[in-house]
Amino acid sequence: MKVFFLAILCAFITLDAFSQKEKKTLVAIKTVTPPKMDGALDDAVWQNVPIATNFVELQPNAGRHEKNEERTEVKIIYDNNSIYVGARMYETSADKVAKELATRDNVGNADFIGIIFDTYKDGINGTGFFVTSANSQFDAKYAPNPNGNTEDPNWNAVWISKVKIDEHGWTAEMKIPYSALRFAKKDVQTWGMNLIRKRQNVQKQLFWNEIDPKMNGFINQEGILTGLEKLEPPVRLAFYPYFSTYVNHYPYNTAGLKNTSTAVNGGMDVKYGINESFTLDLTLIPDFGQVQSDNKILNLTPFEVKYNENRPFFTEGTELFNKGNLFYSRRVGGSPINFNAPYNNLKPGEEVVNNPTETKLLNAIKLSGRTSKGLGIGLFNAITNTSYATVEDAQGNRRQVQTSPLANYNILVFDQNLKNNSAITLINTNVNRFNKDYSADVGGLVFNLNNKKNTYNLSGYTMMSNLYGPGRATQTGYSYLVSGGRSSGNFTWNISQELVDSKYNSNDLGILYNNNYVDYNLNLQYYNYKPKKYFTQWGVWTNTYYSRRVNPAAYQYFNQNFGGNGTLKNFWQININAHYRRQGQDFYEPRVAGLMYNSPENFVLNWNLSTNRAKRLSGGFWYGDQWIANNYGGRGHDLELFYNLRLSNAFSFGEDVTFSPRKNVLGYSTTDGAGVPVFALRDVETVENIFNLKYTFSGIMGLNLRLRHYWSKLNNRQFFNLQPDGLVGTLTSTDFNHDNNQNVNIWNVDMVYVWQFTPGSELSVAWKNSAYTNNSLATQNYLNNLSNTFSQPQNNNFSLKILYYIDYQNLRKKHKV
């Protein structure tokens, strides 16, 4: 083990000849008269302004400079309120400009120009603003991670853009108010900056300051913006009051239950800039009823399903809170911690008639920012209300059972930027249930360190968790991760060790599938970014995993994975990978502590092909084969087919169909009366079909329709008992015969019309339709199940929501007038 860490340390401090080219510099010019925002660039204020040009390709031919007849020219001016970007993107004809319409935060099949500001010039954090040739806006925040930078596209700001297309190509103007940026209060400012252009039809991505794909990160490869003087950070205060109304219909057809119900909601989001660096985000009585439905599945694993976060407040500007992987935002307002309690103490004749699957979020706040010294501070707080289930007896008498107490969720983060694009972070999460149930506290240290040349990286974390509360002893657990390797160059590598002890638990505000393990991982990869005869770029990789249980010590599994991928000259992409897992000891599949299942050796081979997405019709497939050495000829297949057809710049649709049959596979089925796990030899068929349709009226108005049908049937063929003694981990035949076949159908429709009627303000109308069935009729085929799904009771929900943006600065100006 000492040799392991010594190798990482030696590599980390090794000096490397890897060099970075000199950074470009652009001077911004101050103006008294702002430009007219029409996308034309013919105002006098744009004359005699320094030009950023001579962009350099990142893809497909890294390092190649743009041609003069296809050049990019960008100018930057500013006044006391905003910074302005004027850009001319040359083409030899207007027909070469891709211009598919898309709503906000969607680029679609269109050219775009973008600017990324690093206002503190730390080479780590950035804020990006992009506009397409169809005037669709996209903005994002950029934060560091050990592999470079992550993009947070959920962050939104209020700014203005206009574009024009002509015979020379297209032009764009952006007005970015200072309220959309965070920067220090200094007389003279120097910012990091880069400019990005995408020429969609020829799949070219170009940067003003050259990006070397072999270097780790891209914010650190920015250019420099100077000439910014006497910028005054404004009072950043904005209100987002909302009003929403809902009509819901479900055919209960039961006395005492209404088939149709209505609701009216109101609340407000507030954004307040406490000073030039820190912002407070507050949501009061939030309403997330129009977010996309979850992709629910039949879960046959011993672990919970991790769902995507679709609620805007929890996706926007959360980069600080995601340090150390301690924050799974779906915990806030998620399933009550004692959801099953009402079912455990039912008296004769009683039944549970109502049991909410989510707790009610009352309010939440985020405070985040970064000082001029590079110290990032983040504070998150949310409160969820007490949750109750309703139990009713045969006479109609009802009683309530508490399933979750009032709970307070907290995160506190201190993140200090260091030299060489490095950072060190202290983070703590806490869930307080005020002695009505147990509480939880998790915290620790996160580090991400690079050498001077940014060619080697050492990263990881160390954490401690505490579960405490009335009537229970405090449970304290620990975990750590240490990872290091070469992060820049054609050939990169990484080696890591992660340990989670048997008492560590971060699941009250995070997500941890299991504890009590130590994992070792070695990654090797080689990428070539220079175009060859068939490929514009290609790469090969391999990684090795070895896992052991910590207490008591035992082998768990060994994985060897390898593969390659590349982009062809016609911009088709190809990928092939293989995965070998030797026989393992699975301590989780039995669902009973202290038992183990000898998981069989298996091998998986996958490959996929996707076509050029710039074409009107694009698509591809993914195919996988799995061989399972379980003495029953276990096999698995995965076939995914997907396409997208763009009928016009406004109208497109696409579909993604996945077929995943499993034949003669073994897995946990149930537990017999004596508490012994019963396994089953079974066949499983799963089909998921997702259809998307998009009609965009303009960059501020669009209609999106998403249909999803998920079907999975499970047929048990033979049952086995898991042996606890003697033949540990093996299965023996049993006469147990329980009818627990499953046939699951899940249907969802999400249709949303959105109109951004003024910058920052939005009207949305949504229709959500859903149905769910799970029965033992696992003999029908897919089409019969789809037909039966439509005949099942369905829930229909119609809603209207109006969100209005009120800017304090505009109110003050109007009051002065």
Side-chain angles (χ1 to χ4, degrees):
M1 192 59 62
K2 291 181 179 179
V3 174
F4 171 83
F5 290 112
L6 183 60
I8 293 179
L9 183 60
C10 290
F12 178 70
I13 63 176
T14 298
L15 295 178
D16 195 277
F18 201 95
S19 62
Q20 186 175 1
K21 294 180 173 63
E22 183 178 352
K23 294 178 180 290
K24 291 181 179 178
T25 300
L26 180 68
V27 179
I29 301 299
K30 191 164 189 178
T31 181
V32 177
T33 304
K36 180 183 178 182
M37 294 298 295
D38 57 8
L41 300 181
D42 54 5
D43 300 53
V45 294
W46 290 117
Q47 305 303 314
N48 301 317
V49 176
I51 300 173
T53 189
N54 193 24
F55 280 44
V56 184
E57 280 185 35
L58 174 63
Q59 295 175 343
N61 194 337
R64 184 168 62 185
H65 290 249
E66 61 185 354
K67 297 178 181 179
N68 183 65
E69 63 271 21
E70 299 167 344
R71 68 189 183 277
T72 313
E73 295 180 349
V74 180
K75 302 176 181 180
I76 295 178
I77 59 177
Y78 67 98
D79 59 18
N80 292 330
N81 302 305
S82 304
I83 191 164
Y84 303 87
V85 181
R88 156 66 75 178
M89 283 61 65
Y90 283 93
E91 293 287 356
T92 54
S93 72
D95 294 337
K96 292 190 176 181
V97 179
K99 47 186 180 294
E100 183 184 12
L101 291 166
T103 52
R104 203 183 197 288
D105 290 332
N106 294 287
V107 173
N109 192 76
D111 291 7
F112 68 76
I113 186 72
I115 186 167
I116 296 178
F117 294 116
D118 173 11
T119 56
Y120 292 99
K121 203 174 178 294
D122 57 22
I124 300 178
N125 301 279
T127 306
F129 303 87
F130 304 80
V131 62
T132 75
S133 53
N135 201 31
S136 300
Q137 292 183 350
F138 176 86
D139 41 28
K141 277 195 171 183
Y142 299 87
N145 72 19
N147 298 316
N149 292 95
T150 57
E151 182 180 73
D152 176 13
N154 299 296
W155 177 81
N156 285 316
V158 178
W159 50 288
I160 297 173
S161 65
K162 295 292 181 181
V163 303
K164 278 194 172 182
I165 297 176
D166 57 29
E167 67 275 14
H168 302 297
W170 65 289
T171 55
E173 283 182 305
M174 302 185 217
K175 178 184 177 181
I176 303 169
Y178 296 138
S179 59
L181 298 168
R182 299 177 186 176
F183 52 88
K185 187 176 182 180
K186 296 190 295 187
D187 288 341
V188 179
Q189 307 238 2
T190 300
W191 293 357
M193 183 199 72
N194 217 337
L195 300 159
I196 307 101
R197 178 184 178 185
K198 181 67 178 289
R199 300 178 61 217
Q200 181 68 9
N201 282 333
V202 291
Q203 292 289 286
K204 285 188 177 182
Q205 186 178 30
L206 307 101
F207 285 77
W208 170 58
N209 201 75
E210 183 178 353
I211 300 294
D212 189 331
K214 299 188 298 295
M215 280 197 68
N216 184 31
F218 78 95
I219 298 295
N220 53 301
Q221 300 188 61
E222 63 199 2
I224 298 172
L225 180 65
T226 64
L228 302 171
E229 298 181 358
K230 294 182 171 56
L231 299 187
E232 286 290 332
V235 176
R236 293 180 291 116
L237 177 60
F239 303 93
Y240 297 81
Y242 82 87
F243 164 83
S244 64
T245 180
Y246 290 82
V247 177
N248 195 85
H249 178 80
Y250 183 82
Y252 293 104
N253 299 327
T254 302
L257 284 177
K258 294 182 178 180
N259 289 349
T260 303
S261 61
T262 60
V264 176
N265 302 316
M268 181 183 293
D269 291 350
V270 180
K271 290 182 182 290
Y272 174 54
I274 296 174
N275 57 28
E276 66 270 15
S277 301
F278 290 88
T279 301
L280 174 70
D281 292 280
L282 171 67
T283 182
L284 300 171
I285 319 176
D287 175 14
F288 303 120
Q290 291 187 341
V291 300
Q292 181 179 297
S293 304
D294 288 329
N295 289 339
K296 294 185 177 180
I297 63 171
L298 172 62
N299 183 18
L300 299 176
T301 75
F303 310 116
E304 69 174 305
V305 177
K306 183 179 181 179
Y307 291 109
N308 293 332
E309 178 60 89
N310 296 316
R311 299 172 296 176
F313 183 85
F314 294 97
T315 59
E316 178 184 333
T318 58
E319 64 274 3
L320 277 175
F321 307 110
N322 290 323
K323 302 280 185 177
N325 297 320
L326 295 182
F327 185 35
Y328 176 43
S329 57
R330 291 295 296 264
R331 298 291 187 215
V332 183
S335 178
I337 60 169
N338 297 312
F339 178 80
N340 292 319
Y343 304 96
N344 297 332
N345 297 296
L346 290 176
K347 300 174 184 177
E350 285 187 330
E351 64 174 339
V352 178
V353 294
N354 183 41
N355 191 5
T357 58
E358 298 177 348
T359 53
K360 174 67 175 177
L361 177 63
L362 298 177
N363 57 63
I365 65 168
K366 293 179 294 189
L367 171 64
S368 62
R370 192 171 295 274
T371 69
S372 58
K373 301 294 185 181
L375 176 62
I377 302 175
L379 174 64
F380 171 89
N381 182 273
I383 298 175
T384 57
N385 205 1
T386 307
S387 181
Y388 294 93
T390 303
V391 176
E392 184 178 80
D393 63 18
Q395 288 73 42
N397 300 310
R398 294 188 171 189
R399 63 184 177 93
Q400 289 189 318
V401 179
Q402 186 181 101
T403 57
S404 185
L406 183 77
N408 184 253
Y409 299 81
N410 289 281
I411 307 175
L412 180 62
V413 186
F414 296 96
D415 178 62
Q416 179 62 59
N417 290 341
L418 304 173
K419 291 182 179 180
N420 308 326
N421 307 311
S422 302
I424 190 167
T425 307
L426 293 173
I427 184 169
N428 180 262
T429 69
N430 178 270
V431 180
N432 190 346
R433 299 188 174 97
F434 306 102
N435 291 323
K436 300 299 182 180
D437 211 306
Y438 78 93
S439 296
D441 187 270
V442 184
L445 172 74
V446 183
F447 57 93
N448 180 30
L449 307 174
N450 298 292
N451 68 336
K452 187 175 181 179
K453 298 292 185 180
N454 200 38
T455 51
Y456 288 90
N457 174 269
L458 181 66
S459 61
Y461 58 77
T462 177
M463 299 291 174
M464 179 176 73
S465 68
N466 286 290
L467 305 184
Y468 58 93
R472 63 177 294 163
T474 299
Q475 177 181 311
T476 301
Y478 302 91
S479 71
Y480 71 80
L481 168 69
V482 178
S483 176
R486 181 178 175 88
S487 54
S488 295
N490 294 101
F491 174 70
T492 58
W493 58 269
N494 174 274
I495 188 169
S496 67
Q497 181 190 50
E498 181 181 21
L499 184 143
V500 179
D501 77 5
S502 59
K503 295 183 178 180
Y504 181 80
N505 189 338
S506 60
N507 272 322
D508 288 271
L509 195 47
I511 185 165
L512 179 70
Y513 294 113
N514 59 275
N515 57 15
N516 196 24
Y517 67 85
V518 55
D519 286 353
Y520 304 89
N521 182 22
L522 171 65
N523 291 294
L524 307 172
Q525 59 182 16
Y526 177 85
Y527 276 88
N528 189 304
Y529 301 96
K530 292 296 183 181
K532 301 296 181 183
K533 184 176 181 181
Y534 300 107
F535 293 93
T536 61
Q537 61 182 37
W538 59 272
V540 292
W541 55 269
T542 181
N543 56 53
T544 304
Y545 290 89
Y546 176 69
S547 180
R548 294 187 62 83
R549 186 175 65 176
V550 173
N551 185 26
Y555 160 77
Q556 291 195 128
Y557 64 83
F558 172 86
N559 281 6
Q560 183 63 54
N561 311 307
F562 47 90
N565 55 73
T567 302
L568 300 169
K569 287 291 185 68
N570 61 357
F571 303 114
W572 288 28
Q573 295 182 329
I574 188 169
N575 173 37
I576 184 169
N577 57 78
H579 310 267
Y580 166 74
R581 172 174 285 199
R582 59 173 290 195
Q583 180 176 317
Q585 298 186 141
D586 192 334
F587 298 95
Y588 313 105
E589 184 67 15
R591 273 73 155 183
V592 176
L595 296 184
M596 178 270 293
Y597 164 61
N598 285 326
S599 57
E601 180 182 49
N602 69 82
F603 180 78
V604 178
L605 178 64
N606 301 313
W607 64 293
N608 81 292
L609 180 72
S610 58
T611 66
N612 184 353
R613 284 180 250 179
K615 302 298 183 181
R616 284 189 176 273
L617 176 62
S618 63
F621 69 89
W622 176 283
Y623 180 74
D625 254 323
Q626 181 180 21
W627 293 266
I628 306 170
N630 60 4
N631 297 324
Y632 296 94
R635 288 294 304 273
H637 307 278
D638 293 283
L639 175 62
E640 179 184 10
L641 301 172
F642 52 93
Y643 71 89
N644 186 76
L645 177 60
R646 192 173 70 255
L647 297 177
S648 70
N649 284 326
F651 183 41
S652 65
F653 63 88
E655 194 169 10
D656 191 328
V657 182
T658 305
F659 176 50
S660 302
R662 299 289 185 268
K663 188 80 171 176
N664 294 329
V665 295
L666 288 162
Y668 172 86
S669 180
T670 186
T671 303
D672 66 16
V676 177
V678 176
F679 278 56
L681 180 68
R682 60 201 183 195
D683 298 337
V684 183
E685 278 188 49
T686 302
V687 177
E688 182 181 45
N689 191 348
I690 300 175
F691 177 82
N692 290 285
L693 181 147
K694 174 182 74 74
Y695 190 90
T696 308
F697 303 93
S698 69
I700 59 173
M701 184 189 299
L703 177 70
N704 286 278
L705 172 67
R706 182 180 190 267
L707 312 176
R708 177 180 182 262
H709 178 231
Y710 173 90
W711 168 62
S712 188
K713 73 171 181 178
L714 180 153
N715 283 301
N716 294 307
R717 301 176 55 193
Q718 186 177 352
F719 292 97
F720 304 86
N721 280 335
L722 180 64
Q723 297 302 299
D725 302 311
L727 301 173
V728 176
T730 61
L731 301 175
T732 58
S733 297
T734 177
D735 57 1
F736 179 90
N737 188 13
H738 185 68
D739 184 14
N740 60 345
N741 293 337
Q742 296 191 65
N743 189 68
V744 174
N745 283 275
I746 302 172
W747 169 259
N748 290 106
V749 178
D750 291 273
M751 186 170 72
V752 182
Y753 164 83
V754 176
W755 173 34
Q756 191 181 63
F757 54 91
T758 62
S761 300
E762 190 175 272
L763 180 148
S764 54
V765 180
W767 169 48
K768 302 181 76 170
N769 172 269
S770 60
Y772 174 86
T773 59
N774 186 359
N775 54 49
S776 60
L777 300 176
T779 57
Q780 298 179 339
N781 60 30
Y782 173 76
L783 292 178
N784 287 335
N785 273 274
L786 179 61
S787 176
N788 291 339
T789 297
F790 293 139
S791 65
Q792 297 298 316
Q794 299 187 7
N795 189 79
N796 283 280
N797 185 282
F798 300 89
S799 61
L800 167 70
K801 184 176 182 180
I802 299 175
L803 179 74
Y804 193 76
Y805 169 69
I806 303 173
D807 181 45
Y808 169 78
Q809 294 282 39
N810 291 336
L811 286 178
R812 189 171 67 170
K813 290 177 183 177
K814 291 178 182 179
H815 179 72
K816 287 182 178 180
V817 174

